[in-house]
Amino acid sequence: MTNKARFITLEGSEGAGKTTALKTIKKILNKWGVDYICTREPGGEPNAEKIREILLHSEHLHAKTELLLMFAARNEHIQNVIKPNLAKGVWVVSDRFVDASYAYQGGGRKLGQGVVKWMDDFIVGDVQADLTVLMDIAPEIGLERIKSRGQADRIEQEGLDFFHRITQSYRDKAKLNPSKYAIIDASKSFKIVKQSIISAFESKKQELMP
Ligand code: T5A
C-alpha cells in the first residue's frame, strides 16, 4: 500500500450509535483494501484501559481530575498505538478521541474549550484526525436508546443539561473545521444512518486515498 495511513475518529453523545457505525466503517475500509486497526478512548492499550476503569467506575472524580486522566490515557494511546500504527502505514479508527474532551470536559463539565485546547496542543499536537465522523443526535434520543442496557456508568448518570452541552460543543467544534467532519444524522433509522456513512466516505475517498 502506497497511500499515507489515515487517522479516522468517531464521535457523538451517548447512544448515538458509534459502535453500530463502526461496523459500517469496517466494511467500507475492507472494500477499499486498506490495512487498519480499530481502537477506542478512553483506553485502547493496557495502561489507558486501567485509567478507563478509574474514569468510568470511580464513585466520584473532580472534573479537572477527569480531564487530566482523559489526556493521560490519550498520551499512552497515542504513543503506544496510534503513532506506531500510522508510522508503519496502518490506518487507525478510534471510537472517540480528543473532540470528546472538548465536548465532555470542556462543554459538559464546563471547564471551557481553552484548557482543553492547551492539553490538545501539549499531548495530541499534530496527531490530529484526518476525518471525524460525528454521529449527531439529540441527547433525549440517545439516552433513551441506552436506557435498557442496565447499570449506567459514572458519566452516563449525568443530567440532560450536561448532555445538551456536549451535543452543542460537538457541533461548535465541527463548525470550526467543517471539511474535516462527516456529520451524520444519527437519529435516523439503522438503514439511513448506514447509507449516510457510506455516502460520506465515498465523497471523502479521493481526499483520503489520492
Ligand atoms: N469520554 C470519553 C469523555 O468524557 N472524554 C473523553 O475525552 C473521552 C475519550 C466512554 C465515556 O467516556 C466519555 C464519553 C463516554 O461517556 P463508552 O462506554 O465507550 O464510554 O461509551 P460510548 O462511547 O458513549 O458508547 P455507547 O455504547 O454508550 O454509545 P454508542 O457506541 O454511540 O452506541 P451503540 O452503537 O452502542 O448504540 C446504542 C444503542 O442504540 C441502538 C443500538 O442497537 C444500541 O442498543 N441504536 C439504534 N437504535 C435505533 N436507530 C439507530 N439508528 C440506532 N443506532 C444504534
Side-chain angles (χ1 to χ4, degrees):
M1 228 198 73
T2 53
N3 281 314
K4 180 175 181 270
R6 299 296 182 179
F7 182 25
I8 298 171
T9 59
L10 195 48
E11 296 280 2
S13 185
E14 310 294 312
K18 289 180 289 82
T19 309
T20 319
L22 195 56
K23 291 183 193 152
T24 304
I25 294 173
K26 284 183 186 175
K27 282 189 189 151
I28 296 167
L29 296 184
N30 289 338
K31 196 172 150 205
W32 288 4
V34 301
D35 198 3
Y36 67 91
I37 59 146
C38 292
T39 183
R40 69 168 179 183
E41 286 204 352
E45 68 85 63
N47 289 329
E49 287 291 331
K50 285 184 199 157
I51 299 173
R52 176 187 174 94
E53 194 54 33
I54 299 171
L55 277 162
L56 298 190
H57 301 296
S58 297
E59 215 164 283
H60 175 75
L61 274 183
H62 192 279
K64 289 179 184 174
T65 311
E66 187 178 275
L67 174 73
L68 291 166
L69 288 178
M70 288 293 175
F71 273 94
R74 181 162 298 129
N75 193 43
E76 291 297 300
H77 189 214
I78 290 170
Q79 302 304 332
N80 300 331
V81 176
I82 300 175
K83 271 179 147 180
N85 275 287
L86 293 174
K88 63 183 185 202
V90 177
W91 291 37
V92 175
V93 182
S94 186
D95 184 346
R96 296 194 186 281
F97 191 59
V98 71
D99 279 12
S101 295
Y102 283 97
Y104 281 76
Q105 283 67 53
R109 298 286 185 221
K110 299 185 180 172
L111 291 176
Q113 305 299 301
V115 68
V116 183
K117 174 78 171 73
W118 188 88
M119 301 283 284
D120 185 1
D121 291 343
F122 180 50
I123 301 295
V124 181
D126 61 0
V127 191
Q128 298 290 339
D130 296 293
L131 171 65
T132 296
V133 179
L134 174 56
M135 303 295 288
D136 184 51
I137 196 165
E140 290 84 349
I141 304 174
L143 293 172
E144 187 60 35
R145 284 181 185 170
I146 60 169
K147 226 159 103 182
S148 57
R149 212 158 48 183
Q151 186 58 40
D153 66 39
R154 189 179 57 82
I155 296 175
E156 287 169 353
Q157 290 170 19
E158 289 295 331
L160 199 52
D161 280 2
F162 174 80
F163 293 106
H164 274 293
R165 289 195 295 278
I166 287 165
T167 302
Q168 194 53 50
S169 299
Y170 270 130
R171 290 175 182 165
D172 292 345
K173 183 80 173 34
K175 273 189 206 141
L176 295 176
N177 191 1
S179 63
K180 206 198 85 174
Y181 288 83
I183 301 179
I184 307 296
D185 182 349
S187 64
K188 302 285 190 208
S189 68
F190 281 109
K191 195 175 163 193
I192 294 176
V193 168
K194 183 178 173 184
Q195 199 45 55
S196 308
I197 295 170
I198 293 171
S199 304
F201 271 75
E202 283 308 319
S203 70
K204 301 270 181 193
K205 188 174 181 186
Q206 185 56 34
E207 215 176 294
L208 295 171
M209 299 178 76

